[in-house]
Coordinates of all heavy atoms in Angstrom, one line a residue:
S912 N -29.2 120.9 -143.8 CA -30.0 122.1 -143.8 C -30.2 122.6 -145.2 O -29.3 122.5 -146.1 CB -29.2 123.2 -143.0 OG -30.1 124.3 -142.9
P914 N -31.9 125.6 -147.9 CA -32.3 127.1 -147.8 C -33.8 127.2 -147.7 O -34.6 126.5 -148.4 CB -31.9 127.6 -149.2 CG -31.6 126.4 -150.0 CD -31.4 125.2 -149.2
R916 N -35.4 130.0 -148.3 CA -35.9 131.0 -149.3 C -37.1 131.8 -148.8 O -38.1 131.9 -149.4 CB -36.3 130.3 -150.6 CG -35.2 129.3 -151.1 CD -34.4 129.8 -152.2 NE -33.4 128.9 -152.6 CZ -32.1 129.1 -152.6 NH1 -31.6 130.2 -152.2 NH2 -31.3 128.1 -153.0
N965 N -30.2 115.3 -160.5 CA -29.6 116.5 -159.9 C -30.3 117.7 -160.4 O -30.4 118.7 -159.6 CB -28.1 116.6 -160.2 CG -27.3 115.6 -159.3 OD1 -27.8 115.3 -158.2 ND2 -26.2 115.2 -159.8
Y968 N -33.3 117.9 -158.0 CA -32.9 118.3 -156.7 C -32.6 119.8 -156.7 O -32.9 120.6 -155.8 CB -31.6 117.6 -156.2 CG -31.8 116.2 -155.8 CD1 -30.9 115.2 -156.1 CD2 -33.0 115.8 -155.0 CE1 -31.1 113.9 -155.7 CE2 -33.2 114.5 -154.6 CZ -32.2 113.5 -155.0 OH -32.4 112.2 -154.6
E969 N -31.9 120.3 -157.8 CA -31.6 121.7 -157.9 C -32.8 122.6 -157.9 O -32.9 123.6 -157.2 CB -30.7 121.9 -159.2 CG -30.3 123.3 -159.4 CD -29.3 123.9 -158.3 OE1 -28.5 123.1 -157.8 OE2 -29.4 125.1 -158.0
W972 N -34.1 122.7 -154.4 CA -33.2 123.5 -153.6 C -33.5 125.0 -153.8 O -33.5 125.8 -152.9 CB -31.7 123.1 -154.0 CG -30.6 123.9 -153.3 CD1 -30.1 125.1 -153.7 CD2 -30.0 123.5 -152.1 NE1 -29.1 125.4 -152.8 CE2 -29.0 124.5 -151.8 CE3 -30.1 122.5 -151.2 CZ2 -28.2 124.5 -150.7 CZ3 -29.3 122.4 -150.1 CH2 -28.4 123.4 -149.8
Q973 N -33.7 125.4 -155.1 CA -34.0 126.8 -155.4 C -35.4 127.2 -154.9 O -35.6 128.3 -154.4 CB -34.0 127.0 -156.9 CG -32.6 126.9 -157.5 CD -31.5 127.7 -156.8 OE1 -31.8 128.8 -156.3 NE2 -30.3 127.2 -156.8
F980 N -38.5 119.2 -151.0 CA -37.2 118.5 -151.3 C -37.4 116.9 -151.1 O -37.0 116.1 -152.0 CB -36.1 119.0 -150.4 CG -34.7 118.5 -150.9 CD1 -34.0 119.2 -151.9 CD2 -34.2 117.4 -150.3 CE1 -32.8 118.7 -152.3 CE2 -32.9 116.9 -150.7 CZ -32.2 117.6 -151.7
C998 N -28.4 113.0 -150.2 CA -27.4 113.4 -149.3 C -26.2 114.0 -150.0 O -25.7 115.1 -149.6 CB -26.9 112.2 -148.5 SG -28.0 111.4 -147.4
E999 N -25.8 113.3 -151.1 CA -24.6 113.8 -151.8 C -24.9 115.1 -152.5 O -24.0 116.0 -152.6 CB -24.1 112.7 -152.7 CG -22.7 112.8 -153.2 CD -21.6 113.0 -152.1 OE1 -21.8 112.7 -151.0 OE2 -20.5 113.6 -152.5
F1000 N -26.1 115.3 -153.0 CA -26.4 116.6 -153.6 C -26.2 117.7 -152.6 O -25.6 118.7 -152.9 CB -27.9 116.5 -154.1 CG -28.3 117.9 -154.7 CD1 -28.0 118.2 -156.0 CD2 -29.0 118.8 -153.8 CE1 -28.4 119.5 -156.5 CE2 -29.4 120.0 -154.3 CZ -29.1 120.4 -155.6
V1001 N -26.8 117.5 -151.4 CA -26.7 118.6 -150.4 C -25.2 118.7 -149.9 O -24.7 119.9 -149.8 CB -27.6 118.3 -149.2 CG1 -27.4 119.3 -148.1 CG2 -29.1 118.2 -149.6
R1002 N -24.5 117.6 -149.8 CA -23.1 117.7 -149.4 C -22.3 118.6 -150.4 O -21.5 119.4 -150.0 CB -22.4 116.4 -149.2 CG -22.9 115.6 -148.0 CD -22.1 114.3 -147.8 NE -22.8 113.3 -147.1 CZ -23.3 112.2 -147.5 NH1 -23.0 111.8 -148.8 NH2 -23.9 111.3 -146.7
N1003 N -22.6 118.3 -151.7 CA -21.9 119.1 -152.7 C -22.3 120.6 -152.6 O -21.4 121.5 -152.9 CB -22.2 118.6 -154.1 CG -21.4 117.3 -154.3 OD1 -20.3 117.1 -153.8 ND2 -22.0 116.4 -155.1
K1004 N -23.5 120.9 -152.2 CA -23.9 122.3 -152.1 C -23.1 122.9 -150.9 O -22.6 124.1 -151.0 CB -25.4 122.4 -151.7 CG -26.3 122.2 -152.9 CD -26.2 123.4 -153.8 CE -27.2 123.3 -155.0 NZ -26.9 124.3 -156.0
I1005 N -22.9 122.1 -149.8 CA -22.1 122.6 -148.7 C -20.7 122.9 -149.2 O -20.1 123.9 -148.9 CB -22.1 121.6 -147.5 CG1 -23.6 121.5 -147.0 CG2 -21.2 122.1 -146.4 CD1 -23.8 120.3 -146.0
R1006 N -20.1 121.9 -149.9 CA -18.7 122.1 -150.4 C -18.6 123.3 -151.3 O -17.5 124.0 -151.3 CB -18.3 120.8 -151.1 CG -18.1 119.6 -150.2 CD -17.8 118.3 -150.9 NE -17.9 117.2 -150.0 CZ -18.6 116.1 -150.2 NH1 -19.4 115.9 -151.3 NH2 -18.6 115.1 -149.3
Q1007 N -19.6 123.5 -152.1 CA -19.5 124.7 -153.0 C -19.6 126.0 -152.3 O -19.1 127.0 -152.7 CB -20.7 124.7 -154.1 CG -20.5 123.6 -155.2 CD -21.8 123.2 -155.8 OE1 -22.8 124.0 -155.7 NE2 -21.8 122.1 -156.4
T1008 N -20.3 126.0 -151.1 CA -20.6 127.3 -150.4 C -19.5 127.6 -149.4 O -19.1 128.8 -149.3 CB -22.0 127.2 -149.7 OG1 -22.9 126.7 -150.6 CG2 -22.4 128.5 -149.0
V1009 N -19.0 126.6 -148.7 CA -18.1 126.9 -147.6 C -16.7 126.8 -148.2 O -16.2 125.8 -148.8 CB -18.3 125.8 -146.5 CG1 -17.3 126.0 -145.4 CG2 -19.7 125.9 -146.0
C1019 N -20.4 118.5 -143.5 CA -21.1 117.5 -144.3 C -21.6 116.4 -143.5 O -20.8 115.6 -142.9 CB -20.2 116.9 -145.4 SG -20.0 118.1 -146.8
Y1037 N -24.7 128.2 -144.1 CA -23.4 127.8 -144.6 C -22.5 129.0 -145.0 O -21.3 129.0 -144.7 CB -23.6 126.8 -145.7 CG -24.2 125.5 -145.3 CD1 -25.4 125.1 -145.8 CD2 -23.6 124.7 -144.3 CE1 -26.0 123.9 -145.3 CE2 -24.2 123.5 -143.9 CZ -25.4 123.1 -144.4 OH -26.0 122.0 -143.9

Side-chain angles (χ1 to χ4, degrees):
S912 186
R916 309 258 180 240
N965 283 334
Y968 287 141
E969 180 64 33
W972 179 268
Q973 295 306 331
F980 191 85
C998 293
E999 198 49 22
F1000 175 85
V1001 176
R1002 290 189 201 113
N1003 283 331
K1004 286 289 185 191
I1005 298 170
R1006 291 175 186 127
Q1007 285 157 22
T1008 310
V1009 178
C1019 284
Y1037 295 117

